[in-house]
Amino acid sequence: MPKLDFSTYDSKGFYDEMFDENNAVRPNYKLFLERLEKMSLRKLNQLQHATDRSQLSLGMTFNVYNDNQGVERILHLDIIPRIINNKEWNHLEKGLQQRIRALNMFIQDIYNDQNVLKDKIIPKEMVFSSVSYLKELEGFKPPKDVWCHITGSDLIKGGDGQYYVLEDNLRCPSGVSYMLENREILKRTFPELFEKLDVKPVYNYTHILRDTLESLSEVDNPTVVVLTPGTYNSAYFEHSYLAQQMGAELVEGRDLIVKNDIVYMITTHGLQRVDVIYRRVDDDFIDPEVFNKNSLLGTPGLFRAYLKGNVVLVNAPGTGVVDDKAVYAYIPRIIKYYLSEDMILPNVKTYICDEESDRKYVIENIHNLVVKQTDASGGYGMLIGPKSTKAEQQEFIAKIKHKPRNYIAQPMINLSRVPTLTDDTIEGRHVDLRPYALFGDDIKIIPGALTRVALKKGSIVVNSSQGGGSKDTWVLNS
Amino acid sequence: MLGRVANTIYWMNRYLERAENYARFMDVNFNLSLELSPNEEQQWKPLVVITGDWPLYESLHEKAEKNKVINFMAFESENPNSICNCIINARENARAIRPEITKEVWEQINALYYLVKKASEKKRLNDSEVRHFFSDIKNGCQLLYGIYDATISRNEGWNFAKLGQLIERADKTSRVLDVKYHLLLGSAKQVGSSLDLIQWTALLKSVSAYDMYRKKYGKLSSTSIAEFLILDTDFPRSILNCLIRAEQSIVRLCGSSFGYCNNAQRQLGALKAQLEFTDINDIIAKGLHEYLDDIQGKLNDISTAIYEAFFSIEPHVN
């Protein structure tokens, strides 16, 4: 059986995480490559199939939005890992801590003193017009002044080998269960490599998560629950996984009831008070009394109980302002304003269609840009200029002119690539990186991440809802 | 424990037990059909009648035919009680309460799910594939019971699981006995013939009772078989044994074994006591069918009472 051979692997044109431009292996991948080169493609395919089976048996499935009910898919896990050395990781860690600290201060400020608006660092209209801005929260301070307890920022690496933050995801970032389960599966696939490579463990995520949630309540031994929209939600696997790993009750909105501004869950022995809710339901749906009146997922009175301080919601409501893609453009200035530091992890250059000169540039150069809707996520509501038709471009230009506030544009970034197993060979595929941060008493970045990979050749859309897969991410101790 | 969660655990176990029971008596009947002259209607109709789904069957098919009955009971998506739907429902319930069960239990339920998914995607199964399917379901469910037993704490969830499983099992044993008994008595002229013997054996095997029955009674007789399946205190599929163990679970849930704390405990205790102090000859004198019918009705009432006592608690705060 012929062994794997990388002499014809194409590492040109993009930053490749495994090989440099001369096709020489990068130091962090050296041992891994040695292991691969002792294997045949057939053997590697066998390992890949075993991985697929593990995922099915673990029930790591998700329902795709707009898909038929009951259609389940696994998030394809490619067995070739993303490997990050210690130095690179330290840089990421510092950059994320800085960013999250500043963004948390920003959120507290816009709902309270509004200094950042008075000092004209960001136009007030930009903040108040964000669909995620909640007027109801003005004057409110959450426990320990922490709003964004759980963050899963999306990072990418450009052709220059530099990391950029693409999105901050301060609402309900998902995917951490895949980081954890991918690791368990890969430890079975390449057991000997973990020892040799000295990979940092990620298993304590759910312990830190539970500690973080408990630390937010003043009650001794608080009752912590995970609030899920239910089994039809595409991230349900993760909700149940986290509840089970933390030993928390997994509840739906209908399991909760609010009496005298106190939240209870309905148990077989009557009502039991709830202290901390890790909610995986969007702001809009948590309380039909205040937000979406038609929401069947929510619990009437929940928001009132929250404002009274009788229950902690994690993440706090109202953090979505930062996820607004137009607000994103101001983050470098926001970091400078609160911390008097230059940002460590840069933003991607962003054109704000609401500003006239930017809008003009975007319309003239739309064929070279990626246009995004400011309140969308999951790869929806997006135009990739170089890969779009004239008609699609015209459609987006019309949309931008109609509601400029709703659009931003960014240059096309050449996402870095990692070798990925395809049907009959190994080829580079574009990836991004989603590390997870927990903010309780301090900001902890878990040394690992979900690496999302665009499985289709040439594609840069890594979202699971659009044909993306995942990779385990190994952070080395050296 | 959340009322919704308790309810979901209860039904997850009922569905699993139902699937396993169906697989067993389908398999036995299949086996039987190989050795008997083919009167399909007489052979296969009772199976559907047992389950109470004959009206649905009739709306879909003209008459009872082997392949149609097998498909209806095993795979029919419109039959809410088909083995496939039972497993799909059990797995959906398990997903909803995933934090209450262990990884091992979940993986086994999931394995069953993929088993039925794969089988139902095939256009047509041949005879040996069908038999494999039934025995895979049986084995898969029994493996699951073992994993459940070995990995789940004896907590509230366990007791709701047991309640669901045992009430379902008592109900299914009563139904198997009811229909077969009538079928057998209907052919009185064949009493003592080899056909008769084969039918009685099949009845016992339908509830995995053949070996244990033989051990206890030796000879096959209709009265002894009815006694064994209804009133035996030690056989784990007899109605009384199911009720004894279901009562143990409800006592643990209520916290008291003296008297009763709610309607569910009262009705369950009453039915158990009724069987404890009944003689099989009295039952037969009164009419076995009527007696079993009454038990089935009472089991339904108990299930409703459990729902009201534990799953739909009226919120009340001072």
Side-chain angles (χ1 to χ4, degrees):
Chain A
M1 193 57 62
K3 303 289 178 222
L4 283 167
D5 173 19
F6 284 88
S7 60
T8 57
Y9 178 82
D10 179 13
S11 63
K12 299 278 180 302
F14 304 92
Y15 185 94
D16 191 278
E17 302 280 349
M18 190 153 157
F19 297 100
D20 66 18
E21 55 280 7
N22 303 315
N23 243 15
V25 66
R26 296 184 195 276
N28 43 332
Y29 269 102
K30 191 165 168 294
L31 273 171
F32 185 78
L33 182 65
E34 280 170 17
R35 174 80 175 85
L36 273 191
E37 283 174 336
K38 287 189 191 126
M39 247 190 272
S40 64
L41 184 63
R42 194 167 147 217
K43 175 71 187 159
L44 199 62
N45 273 317
Q46 280 169 359
L47 290 175
Q48 181 67 55
H49 288 148
T51 301
D52 300 346
R53 280 198 304 276
S54 301
Q55 282 188 288
L56 278 177
S57 115
L58 287 164
M60 292 173 67
T61 56
F62 66 96
N63 304 323
V64 178
Y65 285 117
N66 309 327
D67 216 326
N68 289 331
Q69 217 180 62
V71 175
E72 289 179 33
R73 299 195 193 155
I74 56 170
L75 179 64
H76 178 81
L77 165 60
D78 182 77
I79 58 173
I80 301 177
R82 158 81 158 284
I83 305 179
I84 298 178
N85 69 35
N86 195 37
K87 186 168 163 249
E88 207 169 284
W89 182 257
N90 287 340
H91 170 71
L92 282 176
E93 191 173 44
K94 282 202 192 73
L96 286 170
Q97 283 168 335
Q98 178 199 49
R99 199 171 170 102
I100 292 166
R101 179 164 294 118
L103 292 177
N104 191 64
M105 291 169 85
F106 171 68
I107 300 168
Q108 174 102 338
D109 191 17
I110 57 169
Y111 287 120
N112 287 278
D113 302 337
Q114 303 189 333
N115 291 325
V116 72
L117 308 179
K118 288 173 199 154
D119 292 336
K120 298 195 176 2
I121 304 300
I122 176 170
K124 3 184 224 290
E125 309 75 53
M126 194 61 88
V127 171
F128 296 147
S129 63
S130 168
V131 290
S132 300
Y133 181 83
L134 301 180
K135 214 173 157 31
E136 294 83 354
L137 282 169
E138 284 174 4
F140 178 80
K141 287 180 180 153
K144 300 192 172 180
D145 297 335
V146 178
W147 296 74
C148 46
H149 313 89
I150 298 154
T151 310
S153 307
D154 287 336
L155 284 75
I156 53 174
K157 197 191 263 183
D160 54 0
Q162 162 89 34
Y163 282 107
Y164 296 86
V165 178
L166 193 59
E167 286 177 16
D168 289 285
N169 298 325
L170 258 50
R171 284 170 291 182
C172 296
S174 61
V176 75
S177 58
Y178 289 91
M179 170 182 89
L180 297 168
E181 286 293 66
N182 285 356
R183 176 60 55 85
E184 286 310 305
I185 292 172
L186 268 260
K187 280 201 304 206
R188 282 198 291 261
T189 314
F190 299 114
E192 67 289 354
L193 280 172
F194 277 87
E195 267 188 342
K196 279 193 200 152
L197 273 170
D198 201 4
V199 180
K200 286 182 198 265
V202 292
Y203 68 88
N204 56 359
Y205 177 84
T206 50
H207 299 271
I208 302 176
L209 177 59
R210 175 149 197 140
D211 291 346
T212 304
L213 296 174
E214 286 191 3
S215 75
L216 299 167
S217 171
E218 285 171 10
V219 179
D220 283 336
N221 284 323
T223 299
V224 176
V225 302
V226 176
L227 176 63
T228 174
T231 54
Y232 293 112
N233 186 270
S234 60
Y236 176 78
F237 164 73
E238 175 152 307
H239 308 160
S240 70
Y241 177 87
L242 291 174
Q244 165 234 335
Q245 291 288 320
M246 285 196 292
E249 201 75 57
L250 180 65
V251 305
E252 297 179 13
R254 58 186 161 137
D255 297 323
L256 300 178
I257 187 164
V258 180
K259 298 250 170 174
N260 304 326
D261 299 333
I262 291 173
V263 184
Y264 298 91
M265 55 184 177
I266 304 167
T267 79
T268 51
H269 295 291
L271 299 182
Q272 184 187 336
R273 184 168 175 168
V274 172
D275 303 301
V276 182
I277 303 177
Y278 176 21
R279 47 89 180 212
R280 297 293 296 259
V281 175
D282 290 336
D283 287 359
D284 220 15
F285 295 97
I286 52 170
D287 184 349
E289 273 183 13
V290 187
F291 306 110
N292 190 331
K293 306 276 179 289
N294 301 319
S295 171
L296 298 173
L297 306 175
T299 308
L302 185 58
F303 194 70
R304 226 181 327 116
Y306 176 68
L307 289 183
K308 286 244 169 124
N310 291 337
V311 70
V312 185
L313 291 176
V314 174
N315 284 351
T319 56
V321 180
V322 176
D323 288 346
D324 187 297
K325 290 179 170 65
V327 173
Y328 162 90
Y330 293 88
I331 289 178
R333 280 170 265 182
I334 287 170
I335 292 176
K336 186 98 189 161
Y337 178 72
Y338 290 107
L339 302 177
S340 310
E341 294 171 12
D342 287 327
M343 70 164 17
I344 299 170
L345 287 173
N347 261 19
V348 174
K349 167 82 188 148
T350 301
Y351 301 94
I352 300 166
C353 297
D354 208 26
E355 289 178 7
E356 205 183 330
S357 60
D358 277 10
R359 181 166 63 245
K360 189 160 173 284
Y361 178 85
V362 171
I363 290 171
E364 282 166 7
N365 296 283
I366 197 159
H367 54 284
N368 285 326
L369 297 169
V370 178
V371 183
K372 293 176 178 175
Q373 204 177 309
T374 53
D375 59 354
S377 63
Y380 294 105
M382 188 163 117
L383 175 89
I384 298 175
K387 303 197 171 178
S388 60
T389 63
K390 278 267 176 284
E392 285 165 341
Q393 291 168 16
Q394 286 310 317
E395 184 197 330
F396 263 76
I397 288 172
K399 283 181 180 174
I400 291 169
K401 285 181 174 163
H402 179 59
K403 274 191 175 165
R405 169 63 181 85
N406 286 7
Y407 294 90
I408 56 111
Q410 294 167 336
M412 191 72 180
I413 302 277
N414 292 324
L415 268 60
S416 65
R417 300 202 302 196
V418 179
T420 300
L421 189 57
T422 67
D423 287 338
D424 48 7
T425 183
I426 292 176
E427 285 179 348
R429 289 287 183 269
H430 296 291
V431 296
D432 78 348
L433 183 76
R434 181 179 285 184
Y436 294 90
L438 293 172
F439 192 170
D441 292 320
D442 55 356
I443 302 171
K444 295 194 179 75
I445 316 290
I446 311 307
L450 175 67
T451 289
R452 298 187 298 175
V453 52
L455 296 169
K456 237 172 75 190
K457 190 170 189 158
S459 168
I460 56 163
V461 183
V462 297
N463 303 81
S464 58
S465 47
Q466 314 219 7
S470 75
K471 280 173 174 288
D472 191 17
T473 310
W474 298 359
V475 177
L476 305 185
N477 256 322
S478 54
Chain B
M1 166 171 282
L2 294 178
R4 175 179 59 82
V5 168
N7 189 20
T8 307
I9 293 178
Y10 175 85
W11 277 102
M12 176 179 85
N13 283 276
R14 283 201 76 153
Y15 282 126
L16 286 168
E17 184 67 28
R18 191 171 296 174
E20 191 228 342
N21 276 281
Y22 278 24
R24 190 178 323 94
F25 63 68
M26 292 295 286
D27 193 40
V28 170
N29 208 62
F30 198 107
N31 198 24
L32 198 58
S33 72
L34 303 176
E35 288 172 306
L36 291 179
S37 62
N39 178 345
E40 282 195 308
E41 184 82 15
Q42 198 191 354
Q43 183 83 40
W44 292 94
K45 183 176 170 182
L47 264 71
V48 186
V49 174
I50 288 181
T51 63
D53 290 323
W54 181 251
L56 176 65
Y57 182 92
E58 260 189 324
S59 73
L60 296 169
H61 307 287
E62 278 179 16
K63 54 180 186 161
E65 289 169 53
K66 176 180 159 188
N67 286 329
K68 286 186 175 149
V69 169
I70 289 174
N71 188 61
F72 178 79
M73 299 275 290
F75 304 113
E76 178 59 60
S77 58
E78 286 186 48
N79 176 6
N81 297 314
S82 69
I83 292 174
C84 264
N85 278 333
C86 282
I87 297 289
I88 289 169
N89 287 334
R91 193 256 193 173
E92 199 50 34
N93 283 336
R95 272 187 79 207
I97 53 132
R98 175 66 188 83
E100 304 296 325
I101 53 179
T102 55
K103 176 165 178 278
E104 289 80 0
V105 167
W106 165 246
E107 289 196 3
Q108 180 54 23
I109 292 185
N110 223 14
L112 276 167
Y113 171 76
Y114 286 110
L115 177 76
V116 300
K117 273 270 176 198
K118 210 172 133 202
S120 62
E121 275 161 16
K122 281 207 165 182
K123 279 265 169 334
R124 200 187 153 77
L125 299 175
N126 66 34
D127 281 4
S128 87
E129 285 172 327
V130 167
R131 296 213 62 184
H132 273 295
F133 176 73
F134 292 139
S135 63
D136 286 349
I137 293 289
K138 262 189 313 180
N139 294 341
C141 288
Q142 285 169 357
L143 177 57
L144 182 61
Y145 301 155
I147 297 171
Y148 217 97
D149 185 77
T151 65
I152 300 280
S153 291
R154 270 43 173 179
N155 54 17
E156 233 188 313
W158 168 270
N159 288 314
F160 283 115
K162 282 286 129 186
L163 273 182
Q165 180 184 43
L166 293 165
I167 285 169
E168 181 71 24
R169 187 179 288 176
D171 176 76
K172 287 296 163 286
T173 297
S174 80
R175 286 168 188 269
V176 167
L177 181 61
D178 191 13
V179 170
K180 280 285 181 185
Y181 194 87
H182 271 258
L183 185 72
L184 290 164
L185 290 187
S187 55
K189 61 175 190 251
Q190 285 162 336
V191 170
S193 68
S194 62
L195 174 69
D196 190 43
L197 208 61
I198 220 171
Q199 294 272 21
W200 282 117
T201 308
L203 165 56
L204 283 168
K205 286 186 173 169
S206 293
V207 287
S208 287
Y210 182 75
D211 299 303
M212 290 296 125
Y213 173 86
R214 288 291 253 191
K215 194 114 194 118
K216 180 162 180 179
Y217 294 89
K219 260 184 154 49
L220 293 178
S221 94
S222 57
T223 308
S224 302
I225 289 173
E227 183 177 61
F228 189 65
L229 294 184
I230 302 172
L231 300 178
D232 196 86
T233 50
D234 302 327
F235 179 63
R237 310 193 78 86
S238 81
I239 299 171
L240 179 54
N241 181 278
C242 290
L243 292 172
I244 290 170
R245 287 186 294 144
E247 196 196 29
Q248 288 166 357
S249 279
I250 212 165
V251 164
R252 277 184 216 119
L253 288 168
C254 291
S256 165
S257 60
F258 182 75
Y260 57 88
C261 73
N262 55 41
N263 252 332
Q265 188 178 13
R266 186 177 66 79
Q267 292 178 17
L268 182 54
L271 183 57
K272 188 204 82 173
Q274 175 193 325
L275 294 192
E276 246 176 331
F277 301 104
T278 299
D279 183 85
I280 190 64
N281 294 312
D282 295 344
I283 294 175
I284 289 177
K286 271 190 220 151
L288 182 68
H289 171 71
E290 288 71 21
Y291 197 83
L292 291 171
D293 213 37
D294 179 59
I295 288 178
Q296 285 158 24
K298 284 177 174 161
L299 288 170
N300 274 341
D301 294 343
I302 291 168
S303 199
T304 309
I306 289 172
Y307 181 85
E308 283 162 1
F310 297 106
F311 306 151
S312 68
I313 291 189
E314 275 292 299
H316 171 78
V317 189
N318 294 324

